[in-house]
Amino acid sequence: MGTVLGAMRNVRWHELQHAYGSASQVPGVLSRIAWGDAPTSDEALSDLERWISTPPVFDSTAATVPFLWELAATDTVRDRAGVLDLLATILAAGNAEHPAWTRAAHDAVAAGRATAARLAAAPDTPEAGGPSPAGTVRAAATRLLAAIDRHACPACAGLLPRGAQVR
C-alpha cells in the first residue's frame, strides 16, 4: 500500500484551475489537511472549500475528490468529518458554464460511495466530555451517503451515464 496522498504527484495541478487561479497549491493544502495540527488543518480545509467548491466547481475539483476520499478514510486525519462535509458541498455545487466539470466532480464524489457506507457503519467509541470523533465521522458519512443516493442535478441528468453508448 502506498503512502497517503502519494498519487498526488501524478496530477498535473498546474494545468488545472480553482476559484483564484492555478490549482498548483492544492497538493500543499491537501498535505496540510492530512498532517497539520488542528488550526493548520482547519485553515487548509476552509481554503480548499473556497478554492474548489464554493460556489461553482472547477476542473481541479474532480482531480481533488479522490484525495479527499483518501483523507476521509485515513484515521489519523484530524477533521475527517469536515472532509466528508466538503465532499457533500461539492456534490451540491455545480458550474452552469461547465456542466462537464460538474458531472466529473459529482461522479468522483459518487465513486466514493463504498467508503461513505463503510464510515457510516463504523462503530462508535464514545469519549468522556463530548461526542466521539468516530461518531462525528459516522454522522457526516451518513449525511453524505444520503446525499449521494438522492443526487439529481441538471448536469448529471443531462449527460449520458458513464459508459453509455449513443445509438
Side-chain angles (χ1 to χ4, degrees), residues 83-113:
V83 172
L84 291 164
D85 289 341
L86 176 54
L87 287 163
T89 298
I90 291 167
L91 188 63
N95 189 324
E97 293 179 21
H98 298 282
W101 292 354
T102 300
R103 174 66 183 259
H106 293 179
D107 282 352
V109 172
R113 187 188 185 286

Side-chain angles (χ1 to χ4, degrees), residues 11 17 19 23 33 41 86 90 113 120 139 156-157 160:
V11 177
Q17 297 292 307
I33 294 168
S41 178
L86 176 54
I90 291 167
R113 187 188 185 286
C156 295
L160 290 172

Side-chain angles (χ1 to χ4, degrees), residues 32-56:
R32 289 185 1 236
I33 294 168
W35 297 292
D37 60 15
T40 300
S41 178
D42 291 348
E43 180 183 6
L45 195 56
S46 177
D47 287 347
L48 195 59
E49 183 173 2
R50 280 193 327 273
W51 291 355
I52 67 169
S53 69
T54 308

